[in-house]
Amino acid sequence: MSRARRSTAWYVAASVAGYLAAALVITRYFVPDGGGLVVFAIPLYAITRAYGRKAGFAAAGAGAVVNPVIWALAGNGVRELPHASGLFLVSLLAAQCVGGALFVVLVSALRRGDEESRREAELSRGLLRQSEARYRSLIERAPAAMFVMEGGRLSYFNDRAVQMLGYAREQMQGLPMTSILHPDDLKVAREMFDARSEGEDLPTSLTRIRTRGGGLLWVETVGQKIQWEGRPAVLYFSTDVSARVAAERALRESELRYRISESKYRNLIEVAPEAIYVVEDGRISFCNSHFQEMLGYREEEIRGKSIQELTHPDDVAASMERYARRVGGEVLPPAVLRHVRKDGVVIWVETVGQRIEWEGRSAVLYFSSDVTSRRTLEEQYVQAQKMEAIGRLAGGIAHDFNNLLQVILGFATTLKDYLDDRPAVLRDLGMIEEAATKAASLTQQLLAFSRKQVIKPRVIDLGQLLQQSEQILGRLLGHDVSLVVKLGTEDSRVRADASQLQQVVMNLVINARDAMPSGGTITVTLGNVVLAGAAADDLPAGSYVRLVVEDTGRGMDAETLRRLFEPFFTTKENGSGSGLGLSIVYGVVRQAGGRIHAQSAPGSGSRFEVYLPRVFEESETAAAVPSAERLRGTGSVLVVEDQASVRRFVKEVLERSGYSVTAAASGEEAVKIAIARGDGFDLLLTDIFLTGIRGEEVADAVRVLNPRTRVIYMSGYVSPAKVEWMNGAAFLQKPFTPSSLLQEVRRSLSP
């Protein structure tokens, strides 16, 4: 029986019981014969039932209580009065009217309350329907797919779920889990469904679902146990994350490829022949093993170091300026700068750099090579080029300058023969002769530096030469500088020009003295060494004489050491030296087939090592100068000289000594004279560098006319290669003295 029907039965029972009780009371006290029971019971029951049907239990109960009470009160009040029966009837009628009226009022009030309750209930049901519609709309439009699953089948799903799976709605209703999930994910999905059905709170799961078209989607799902229409079920919220999974997989594959690529390229970087490193914010963040070896650091020591710490102080500004430009994206050509190794050694490094992205940050990638050896060769080449330039300059002016000196020296010497009785004039002529000789010596120094002069090497013992020079050197040094000479016990014979070697020793010792203004010690050591070939520059293997000059002076920095042998380079004050001393030493040593090396550091003195090829021949002695009378001779001589003063000097010297001399001012004139003479000359004395036809061409023409004609070339300058071209002909270096001229002529005309 429903709740409403049970309520109606109770309403009727209560109404009947109430009215029967009222009727019994009234009949007992007011109607003894009991006749009123039927009279009142029937209409009261009918009224109560009618109202009870309309008003319900509350109205029926009120009527059952109110009417009997009024009746009892009315009947009890009139019982004692006269004419009780009539008054009772009147009272009963009044009580019935009042009770009925009150009952009607009460029932009306109850009816109004009941209608308001019904309206409120209807409003609540309307609001509930609106709320359900609103939430259903939200659920249907939700971006996530929502499923309700009962017993492994779909019982509810929203629009997003329909779109995701691609089925029609009627096809999805009741669709089993096995038709949706990927077979490889079924076991895990069932276990999770069972766990959620038991109320377990599980984290988000990632599974694959199959669409109607056979495609696979990766979905991220969270589920919860619910009651669905009074039955247990699991509510799922699923989001399509296929794009994210694909991106993550691509990222993982990319990372794997990157790690493989990184490993591959790291191996390539490690085996690369160049030093490779990366600089971020001015500090090294990566470097290969070659870079570590080049600078002498371990990886943990060099990582994080500033590039300023590794760069030579003099090159820091240039290095940082180029780094800033590279960070800005500018492409620069390779640069050669100095770096400092861990052990303090300075090396030259050629570097090229480029801006890159390094682990997501801006950086500069450098490729570097140690070019110290190449730089040294380049500097030596530049040095040689500079010396060659000075040599060409010296050679270019030597010829004309020596012609002038030839006139000064020649005529000064000649005049002395005529002024034996004039001491004052002889003294003046001697000073002119001395000045000319010094000027000629300076020219020879320039030619020695450039290795352009014609020298007369002979076998000499360098130890004996040092012994002969020791006393003179001691007087040059002064009282505050000590000279220590250490000679070996073996002969130290070399083939060189003796005067040039004396000049080498002199220049080295004087330079050492100048480097010790407060005094010190100069040590000259001579010994023999055997080199294997790579021990001293580019000298071939063999036996050498080594001359070492050391001092305890202030030393030299790297820049000074680098420019040491440059022509005219000097560290002395103006007027204290020409700067040719060491460049002349360099030229003499190289011309003798040797090498010179210098070692120095500020505050540590200097050391010069001269290597000359050792010879094992006997020493040669200089030939004695013949007397003036023995220099006289006879014979025909053709003199060719385009400088009139020199031509006059040579002609007069030869004629005074008994020779028949014909002079020509040019090569063309000399050839004409030789043709006109017919029988030729005994001797041709010609300058090499003539205007027009040169000296060697004149010699060829004269020898055609008379093959027996002897030839002497003279010049203020001639290269050693030119001497080889002379084919054994004699050579006179200007300026020469009358005795030198006569001696060479006499030797050439001797049978």
Side-chain angles (χ1 to χ4, degrees):
M1 184 182 291
S2 67
R3 184 175 179 182
R5 295 178 65 184
R6 287 197 300 268
S7 298
T8 302
W10 281 105
Y11 300 158
V12 174
S15 298
V16 173
Y19 279 102
L20 287 178
L24 289 175
V25 172
I26 294 172
T27 302
R28 170 69 178 83
Y29 290 102
F30 301 103
V31 187
D33 55 2
L37 177 62
V38 177
V39 176
F40 291 107
I42 294 174
L44 288 176
Y45 171 73
I47 294 172
T48 302
R49 185 178 179 189
Y51 281 111
R53 287 179 179 176
K54 295 182 180 180
F57 176 75
V65 173
V66 172
N67 284 337
V69 170
I70 294 175
W71 292 341
L73 291 176
N76 190 51
V78 300
R79 185 176 180 181
E80 303 297 331
L81 296 177
H83 309 289
S85 298
L87 291 173
F88 173 74
L89 293 175
V90 174
S91 299
L92 185 59
L93 179 60
Q96 183 66 38
C97 291
V98 173
L102 292 174
F103 185 71
V104 170
V105 171
L106 179 60
V107 169
S108 298
L110 291 174
R111 277 184 173 179
R112 284 196 300 272
D114 186 47
E115 289 176 359
E116 290 178 0
S117 297
R118 283 198 302 272
R119 285 197 297 272
E120 289 177 358
E122 186 64 28
L123 179 61
S124 297
R125 285 193 294 272
L127 292 174
L128 178 61
R129 285 192 297 273
Q130 292 177 7
S131 176
E132 288 177 350
R134 183 166 59 253
Y135 284 110
R136 177 178 290 276
S137 176
L138 290 175
I139 290 173
E140 289 297 335
R141 295 178 182 178
M146 299 177 64
F147 303 90
V148 174
M149 192 163 289
E150 297 181 80
R153 292 179 176 272
L154 292 178
S155 60
Y156 172 77
F157 38 85
N158 65 354
D159 288 344
R160 179 60 184 144
V162 174
Q163 295 171 5
M164 180 184 292
L165 295 178
Y167 289 92
R169 278 189 171 273
E170 57 272 14
Q171 293 175 321
M172 287 183 62
Q173 189 67 41
L175 198 65
M177 181 189 301
T178 54
S179 299
I180 300 174
L181 290 172
H182 189 278
D184 295 343
D185 296 339
L186 275 176
K187 181 179 179 182
V188 175
R190 285 197 185 99
E191 292 175 354
M192 297 186 76
F193 175 78
D194 294 340
R196 287 181 174 123
S197 298
E198 296 296 327
E200 282 191 53
D201 189 11
L202 299 179
T204 301
S205 60
L206 186 65
T207 54
R208 288 164 291 181
I209 61 174
R210 294 186 297 185
T211 65
R212 182 185 179 188
L216 287 177
L217 299 177
W218 285 93
V219 294
E220 198 172 57
T221 302
V222 62
Q224 176 131 18
K225 178 184 177 183
I226 62 169
Q227 287 291 325
W228 182 259
E229 296 181 353
R231 300 182 300 276
V234 176
L235 172 63
Y236 289 99
F237 294 86
S238 298
T239 304
D240 184 357
V241 292
S242 300
R244 191 191 76 192
V245 171
E248 290 174 350
R249 177 178 294 173
L251 179 61
R252 286 193 299 272
E253 292 175 354
S254 176
E255 288 176 348
L256 179 59
R257 288 195 300 271
Y258 172 75
R259 285 194 293 271
I260 295 173
S261 177
E262 181 185 27
S263 175
K264 177 176 66 178
Y265 285 110
R266 180 178 291 273
N267 291 335
L268 291 176
I269 288 173
E270 286 299 328
V271 300
E274 292 182 298
I276 301 174
Y277 60 105
V278 176
V279 177
E280 297 181 73
D281 298 326
R283 296 186 176 275
I284 295 173
S285 59
F286 169 80
C287 62
N288 67 352
S289 57
H290 286 286
F291 185 73
Q292 300 164 34
E293 293 171 3
M294 184 175 72
L295 293 179
Y297 289 93
R298 296 192 303 273
E299 183 177 7
E300 59 272 16
E301 293 176 326
I302 204 169
R303 190 183 296 272
K305 272 190 175 294
S306 168
I307 54 176
Q308 298 182 22
E309 298 179 61
L310 305 175
T311 306
H312 190 276
D314 295 343
D315 293 343
V316 166
S319 176
M320 296 307 295
E321 186 264 342
R322 293 177 67 86
Y323 170 71
R325 292 170 65 185
R326 286 186 176 113
V327 170
E330 190 172 347
V331 178
L332 301 177
V336 179
L337 301 174
R338 286 165 293 181
H339 285 55
V340 182
R341 288 174 47 87
K342 183 181 178 181
D343 55 12
V345 175
V346 177
I347 60 174
W348 288 92
V349 177
E350 184 178 61
T351 302
V352 61
Q354 184 173 357
R355 187 182 69 175
I356 62 168
E357 288 294 321
W358 181 260
E359 297 179 352
R361 301 181 298 274
S362 179
V364 176
L365 173 65
Y366 286 98
F367 295 84
S368 298
S369 300
D370 185 349
V371 294
T372 305
S373 299
R374 190 189 78 189
R375 181 77 178 192
T376 301
L377 292 175
E378 289 175 351
E379 289 178 350
Q380 291 175 352
Y381 175 75
V382 171
Q383 180 80 5
Q385 290 295 103
K386 290 179 179 179
M387 293 180 178
E388 194 69 26
I390 296 299
R392 287 193 296 270
L393 173 64
I397 67 174
H399 182 269
D400 294 337
F401 187 62
N402 281 333
N403 276 335
L404 297 175
L405 292 176
Q406 181 65 69
V407 174
I408 297 171
L409 182 61
F411 282 106
T413 305
T414 302
L415 284 174
K416 289 171 64 176
D417 296 337
Y418 296 100
L419 299 171
D420 293 340
D421 56 344
R422 304 284 297 273
V425 177
L426 289 175
R427 184 177 64 251
D428 293 342
L429 288 174
M431 294 180 66
I432 295 174
E433 187 178 11
E434 182 181 358
T437 302
K438 288 182 178 179
S441 177
L442 178 60
T443 305
Q444 294 303 313
Q445 288 180 4
L446 286 172
L447 294 175
F449 148 72
S450 62
R451 306 193 304 278
K452 299 298 185 181
Q453 72 183 95
V454 178
I455 61 173
K456 297 179 180 180
R458 57 190 178 90
V459 178
I460 58 174
D461 191 319
L462 190 53
Q464 294 178 0
L465 186 67
L466 288 176
Q467 287 178 338
Q468 297 169 2
S469 304
E470 185 174 357
Q471 186 176 3
I472 300 175
L473 293 174
R475 288 197 297 266
L476 291 173
L477 298 180
H479 67 279
D480 55 350
V481 177
S482 300
L483 177 65
V484 178
V485 179
K486 300 178 181 179
L487 303 178
T489 58
E490 298 179 351
D491 291 338
S492 299
R493 283 172 289 182
V494 297
R495 182 177 295 277
D497 187 281
S499 62
Q500 287 188 339
L501 284 186
Q502 285 179 334
Q503 191 172 16
V504 167
V505 176
M506 186 81 67
N507 284 341
L508 290 177
V509 171
I510 290 176
N511 273 330
R513 179 202 64 186
D514 294 341
M516 300 184 295
S518 300
T521 302
I522 299 175
T523 304
V524 179
T525 306
L526 186 67
N528 300 327
V529 296
V530 177
L531 301 180
D537 199 12
D538 56 348
L539 288 173
S543 181
Y544 291 86
V545 175
R546 180 173 63 185
L547 172 67
V548 180
V549 179
E550 297 179 273
D551 64 66
T552 58
R554 56 196 172 199
M556 296 174 283
D557 58 23
E559 181 64 19
T560 301
L561 197 62
R562 186 177 67 84
R563 302 184 58 191
L564 196 59
F565 299 112
E566 289 184 8
F568 304 111
F569 174 74
T570 180
T571 59
K572 301 174 183 178
E573 298 178 358
N574 290 337
S576 299
S578 64
L580 284 172
L582 289 177
S583 60
I584 290 173
V585 169
Y586 179 89
V588 170
V589 172
R590 296 283 292 194
Q591 194 170 23
R595 299 292 184 269
I596 182 170
H597 303 281
Q599 301 174 10
S600 185
S604 300
S606 302
R607 175 186 174 93
F608 289 84
E609 295 183 356
V610 177
Y611 292 85
L612 296 171
R614 186 184 179 192
V615 297
F616 299 93
E617 304 171 22
E618 293 297 327
S619 300
E620 302 173 14
T621 58
V625 178
S627 64
E629 185 62 31
R630 292 184 60 186
L631 291 177
R632 294 182 62 82
T634 59
S636 58
V637 180
L638 176 59
V639 176
V640 187
E641 172 61 57
D642 53 3
Q643 295 292 324
S645 54
V646 176
R647 185 169 65 249
R648 176 186 169 188
F649 163 73
V650 173
K651 187 173 183 299
E652 289 182 0
V653 169
L654 292 176
E655 286 178 340
R656 285 201 308 267
S657 297
Y659 294 98
S660 174
V661 180
T662 302
S666 66
E668 291 85 351
E669 184 182 355
V671 172
K672 290 178 181 178
I673 291 173
I675 295 173
R677 184 178 177 92
D679 57 351
F681 293 89
D682 296 323
L683 176 67
L684 171 65
L685 178 60
T686 180
D687 192 278
I688 296 177
F689 301 103
L690 298 171
T691 303
I693 298 178
R694 301 172 70 85
E696 58 268 27
E697 295 173 331
V698 175
D700 291 341
V702 171
R703 281 173 173 169
V704 169
L705 297 173
N706 185 0
R708 297 188 304 274
T709 300
R710 308 291 177 87
V711 178
I712 298 177
Y713 291 106
M714 57 182 176
S715 180
Y717 157 74
V718 66
S719 66
K722 202 72 171 179
V723 174
E724 295 178 3
W725 169 86
M726 293 177 186
N727 295 324
F731 175 73
L732 269 175
Q733 175 74 54
K734 295 179 181 178
F736 46 80
T737 63
S739 60
S740 299
L741 171 61
L742 293 173
Q743 184 179 356
E744 194 63 49
V745 170
R746 182 64 180 268
R747 184 166 45 245
S748 297
L749 290 176
S750 297

